[in-house]
Amino acid sequence: MECLGYGKVHRALIVIDETCDKLYGDQFRAYFERYGVQTRICTLSGGETSKTLDFTLRVVDAMAGFGMMRRSQPLLCVGGGVVMDAAGFAASIYRRGIPYVRIPTTLMGIVDASVGLKTGVSYGGGKNRLGSYHAPKCVLIDTSFLETLPERELCSGAAEILKLALILEPELLIELEENTPHILLDKFRSLAGHRLIRNSIRIMIQQLSGNFQERDLNRLVDFGHSFSPYIEMRRVGEILHGEAVALDMAICIAIALRRNLLDEPFAQRVLQLFRNLNLPTINESFSAEELFGALEDVVLHRDGLQRVPLPRKDGPGLFANNIELLDVAWAVDYLRNG
Ligand SMILES: NC(=O)c1ccc[n+]([C@@H]2O[C@H](COP(=O)([O-])OP(=O)(O)OC[C@H]3O[C@@H](n4cnc5c(N)ncnc54)[C@H](O)[C@@H]3O)[C@@H](O)[C@H]2O)c1
């Protein structure tokens, strides 16, 4: 708790995911009591339906009610990507920015949501429509939280590891293939699981550094994030974030196949890995027209160009700015009928 550089911390507000509070709240309370840190706990529910401005404002109210000092009393965010994004947003706007610490408890939180500077909530039907860039003072990672994470949530987080493997690092793909399904059975707590987590964080940091505020919108880490915001928001609370990312990646793999960026055996090999990780490759309820239409908002978000990352067989992916309805229709048909 001296990570803030202001000496010993005496008071802190903890925003904790409701499920995590039930599982780990007593341990947190005992820990801070033991070290003489006065805390107030603000419990909020995780899950995508909670990622709203109301969540953020409840954290703001809790900070005001606690009478938090502006620099020396941090906000501790304990939970998955939802708590870190929505509470991190509160930290970034309260008194124009107060220090906060991320303590991720999901695989998604550990390998992705806790790595960059992004905070935010969804608004008006748009995913992460309101948000900011606000660096945490530190991120504390403890993979033992994963022991209680349901398998479906674990697989959702694994989609982000798969993303990095497919778009950036073929070695990571092999590592993931060789260790699936064991990593799901031991909840990423084996040496192999830890190595995959470490490598993913390393790749994320390499990709983000120098571009933390996304001045350059050509970001390979956006692979899987072109069609997925639409998919996720249309089925909010039903399709998990990582599952929407998987559906998006599958479409992009098929488009890459159509454009000869990769071959059929490679596409089939990768789609098998999706299945081994219990990740979906197609959702029957979305038509090609609807998915193609989703790119309209992406073009606004990416300042006038599609910039859709597509994977290549042997190396880093590339950006496509000319995806047409025909590409998406071909991809949907390929994924439905093989
Ligand atoms: N800021 C970023 O750069 C970034 C990157 C990736 C994802 N995200 C965001 O993260 C969100 C998804 O995060 P998520 O997948 O962690 O979802 P989440 O925060 O909703 O957590 C998933 C579920 O797991 C439960 N949970 C959390 N920790 C647990 C534990 N240790 N044991 C048992 N249950 C536990 C939660 O209560 C919740 O029901 C999305 O909103 C996405 O946009 C942000």
Side-chain angles (χ1 to χ4, degrees):
M1 282 303 293
E2 296 192 6
C3 54
L4 303 179
Y6 298 102
K8 185 171 166 20
V9 169
H10 296 283
R11 291 179 92 229
L13 179 71
I14 305 175
V15 177
I16 185 166
D17 175 289
E18 204 170 50
T19 307
C20 293
D21 190 32
K22 284 186 193 125
L23 293 164
Y24 304 105
D26 288 346
Q27 279 167 266
F28 274 102
R29 286 173 183 84
Y31 177 87
F32 288 113
E33 202 171 305
R34 176 157 174 223
Y35 287 98
V37 181
Q38 188 203 344
T39 55
R40 181 168 300 171
I41 306 226
C42 170
T43 305
L44 290 166
S45 62
E48 207 58 36
T49 48
S50 305
K51 199 175 172 183
T52 61
L53 200 51
D54 183 55
F55 183 121
T56 295
L57 294 178
R58 285 172 67 188
V59 177
V60 166
D61 288 342
M63 289 192 279
F66 187 52
M68 242 164 108
M69 291 279 185
R70 189 164 162 209
R71 294 279 182 258
S72 54
Q73 297 178 354
L75 179 71
L76 307 185
C77 308
V78 184
V82 166
V83 168
M84 275 181 297
D85 275 9
F89 185 37
S92 78
I93 55 176
Y94 190 64
R95 297 187 193 277
R96 299 196 180 88
I98 55 131
Y100 75 116
V101 174
R102 289 173 176 162
I103 305 175
T105 61
T106 61
L107 185 59
M108 174 70 66
I110 290 173
V111 298
D112 201 329
S114 70
V115 181
L117 268 54
K118 292 203 270 191
T119 78
V121 293
S122 297
Y123 182 74
K127 172 96 182 151
N128 298 328
R129 197 46 51 91
L130 304 176
S132 62
Y133 300 101
H134 189 50
K137 281 290 169 189
C138 73
V139 179
L140 303 175
I141 291 179
D142 181 348
T143 58
S144 62
F145 286 118
L146 300 180
E147 262 173 40
T148 54
L149 193 67
E151 182 169 299
R152 188 174 166 205
E153 297 289 350
L154 200 67
C155 295
S156 172
E160 299 283 5
I161 299 179
L162 180 57
K163 167 189 88 175
L164 297 173
L166 284 170
I167 204 72
L168 281 153
E169 206 164 293
E171 297 81 15
L172 190 66
L173 186 65
I174 294 167
E175 210 180 315
L176 197 51
E177 276 176 317
E178 283 176 351
N179 292 292
T180 303
H182 317 294
I183 39 169
L184 299 181
L185 296 173
D186 61 37
K187 305 222 164 192
F188 279 80
R189 308 235 30 243
S190 59
L191 269 179
H194 280 180
R195 208 173 43 237
L196 279 160
I197 288 176
R198 240 191 345 264
N199 279 331
S200 301
I201 295 173
R202 169 186 56 78
I203 299 170
M204 276 298 284
I205 291 174
Q206 279 168 354
Q207 288 298 304
L208 299 186
S209 45
N211 193 26
F212 275 112
Q213 303 214 344
E214 306 183 0
R215 303 230 182 277
D216 181 0
L217 292 171
N218 284 335
R219 291 168 18 107
L220 287 176
V221 291
D222 279 343
F223 176 45
H225 292 72
S226 304
F227 304 97
S228 65
Y230 178 87
I231 295 172
E232 194 178 357
M233 293 311 286
R234 283 299 160 281
R235 295 281 183 285
V236 72
E238 225 179 278
I239 297 180
L240 300 181
H241 180 70
E243 292 169 348
V245 170
L247 290 167
D248 178 318
M249 291 194 292
I251 295 167
C252 291
I253 287 163
I255 295 175
L257 173 63
R258 184 167 195 252
R259 295 183 173 204
N260 293 319
L261 297 174
L262 45 86
D263 55 30
E264 171 107 40
F266 182 79
Q268 286 303 325
R269 178 186 141 200
V270 166
L271 292 174
Q272 184 56 47
L273 181 55
F274 276 59
R275 290 187 276 277
N276 294 347
L277 288 166
N278 301 326
L279 290 169
T281 55
I282 186 75
N283 183 299
E284 297 300 333
S285 55
F286 294 100
S287 69
E289 288 74 15
E290 204 180 353
L291 292 167
F292 179 67
L295 290 182
E296 267 177 38
D297 190 58
V298 168
V299 168
L300 295 179
H301 192 63
R302 297 181 184 159
D303 205 43
L305 292 175
Q306 290 178 342
R307 305 178 206 265
V308 174
L310 293 181
R312 281 191 296 187
K313 187 177 170 186
D314 292 318
L318 48 75
F319 298 96
N321 290 311
N322 57 354
I323 290 180
E324 296 174 358
L325 174 59
L326 219 59
D327 292 301
V328 180
W330 192 92
V332 168
D333 184 56
Y334 177 78
L335 294 167
R336 278 195 186 136
N337 305 314

